[in-house]
C-alpha cells in the first residue's frame, strides 16, 4: 500500500537530483579549463603552429608572490609568465571574463608551445624572436576583437633591447 508512494517519492527525488546536476552552474575551475582549451586553439590558429598536446596548468598568485617567483627580489613588474607546462598569472587577472587577460593567456600558451618544441633562446636575439612571436599572436587576437590595446601591446616590443 505504501509502495506506490515510495516509488513516486524516489522518482521525484532522483529526478530533482539529476535535473540540478544537468543544470548546475560550472565551477570557476571548470570554466577556466574550457577557456584555456579555447585559448590553446586560438594560439594555434593565430600563430599557425600545431596545438599543444596537453592543457597547461594555470596558477593564480598574488602580485608580490608572482614578482618574487619570477624575479627573486628585483626586476620589471610582470603580470604573467610560464615555467614548463605551468602558466602563472596575477590573481587580479581573469581570462574567463577579460579579453586582455585572455590575450595574456594566449601569449603564455605560445611560450609553453615554444618550450615544448624545444625552441630555447640561445642568445638575446633568439629570446627577442620568441617574445615577438608571442606578442604578435596576442596582438592579432586583440585586433580580431577590436580591442584598442593591441597597439599598446605591440609597442612593448620597442622596450626590449639586446
Amino acid at each position: 500500500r505504501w509502495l506506490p508512494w515510495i516509488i513516486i517519492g524516489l522518482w521525484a527525488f532522483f529526478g530533482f537530483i539529476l535535473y540540478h546536476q544537468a543544470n548546475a552552474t560550472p565551477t570557476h575551475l571548470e570554466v577556466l579549463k574550457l577557456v584555456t582549451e579555447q585559448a590553446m586553439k586560438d594560439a594555434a590558429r593565430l600563430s599557425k603552429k600545431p596545438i599543444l598536446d596537453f592543457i597547461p596548468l594555470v596558477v593564480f598568485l598574488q602580485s608580490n608572490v608572482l614578482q618574487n617567483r619570477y624575479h627573486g627580489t628585483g626586476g620589471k613588474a610582470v603580470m604573467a609568465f610560464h615555467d614548463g607546462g605551468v602558466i602563472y598569472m596575477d590573481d587580479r587577472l581573469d581570462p574567463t571574463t577579460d579579453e586582455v587577460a585572455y590575450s595574456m593567456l594566449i601569449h603564455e600558451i605560445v611560450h609553453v608551445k615554444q618550450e615544448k618544441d624545444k625552441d630555447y633562446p640561445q642568445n638575446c636575439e633568439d629570446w627577442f624572436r620568441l617574445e615577438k612571436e608571442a606578442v604578435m599572436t596576442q596582438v592579432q587576437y586583440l585586433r580580431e576583437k577590436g580591442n584598442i590595446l593591441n597597439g599598446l601591446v605591440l609597442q612593448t616590443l620597442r622596450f626590449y633591447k639586446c
Side-chain angles (χ1 to χ4, degrees):
R1 151 175 181 194
W2 292 101
L3 187 59
W5 292 109
I6 292 172
I7 292 172
I8 290 171
L10 288 172
W11 176 76
F13 173 75
F14 286 110
F16 175 82
I17 296 296
L18 291 175
Y19 171 80
H20 283 284
Q21 283 181 342
N23 294 299
T25 303
T27 66
H28 191 70
L29 285 177
E30 291 168 331
V31 171
L32 180 61
K33 180 178 182 261
L34 294 172
V35 166
T36 303
E37 288 172 340
Q38 184 58 50
M40 290 168 54
K41 292 174 188 172
D42 286 337
R45 176 179 57 82
L46 295 166
S47 69
K48 297 178 179 33
K49 296 208 172 182
I51 194 166
L52 270 172
D53 57 357
F54 67 94
I55 301 170
L57 177 64
V58 181
V59 176
F60 292 91
L61 299 173
Q62 291 178 341
S63 181
N64 63 328
V65 175
L66 185 75
Q67 303 307 315
N68 286 337
R69 184 170 185 109
Y70 184 74
H71 295 292
T73 58
K76 299 176 196 162
V78 66
M79 296 297 287
F81 72 96
H82 78 286
D83 185 10
V86 180
I87 295 171
Y88 297 93
M89 296 186 84
D90 190 300
D91 66 356
R92 296 171 292 181
L93 299 174
D94 187 356
T96 67
T97 60
D98 177 13
E99 66 186 18
V100 175
Y102 181 83
S103 77
M104 294 170 79
L105 179 59
I106 289 173
H107 177 114
E108 294 305 326
I109 287 171
V110 170
H111 285 314
V112 171
K113 177 70 172 131
Q114 292 165 340
E115 190 171 284
K116 172 135 182 6
D117 292 345
K118 300 190 181 340
D119 194 357
Y120 303 115
Q122 302 301 317
N123 53 46
C124 184
E125 287 77 17
D126 285 350
W127 177 87
F128 184 77
R129 175 184 52 80
L130 297 174
E131 185 62 22
K132 183 177 179 183
E133 180 184 355
V135 167
M136 294 308 293
T137 304
Q138 181 180 6
V139 165
Q140 282 180 273
Y141 172 79
L142 290 170
R143 279 186 182 149
E144 279 185 358
K145 297 300 176 187
N147 190 304
I148 61 170
L149 290 178
N150 72 71
L152 181 63
V153 172
L154 187 57
Q155 293 300 315
T156 62
L157 288 175
R158 293 181 19 190
F159 298 109
Y160 298 121
K161 304 274 189 254
C162 287

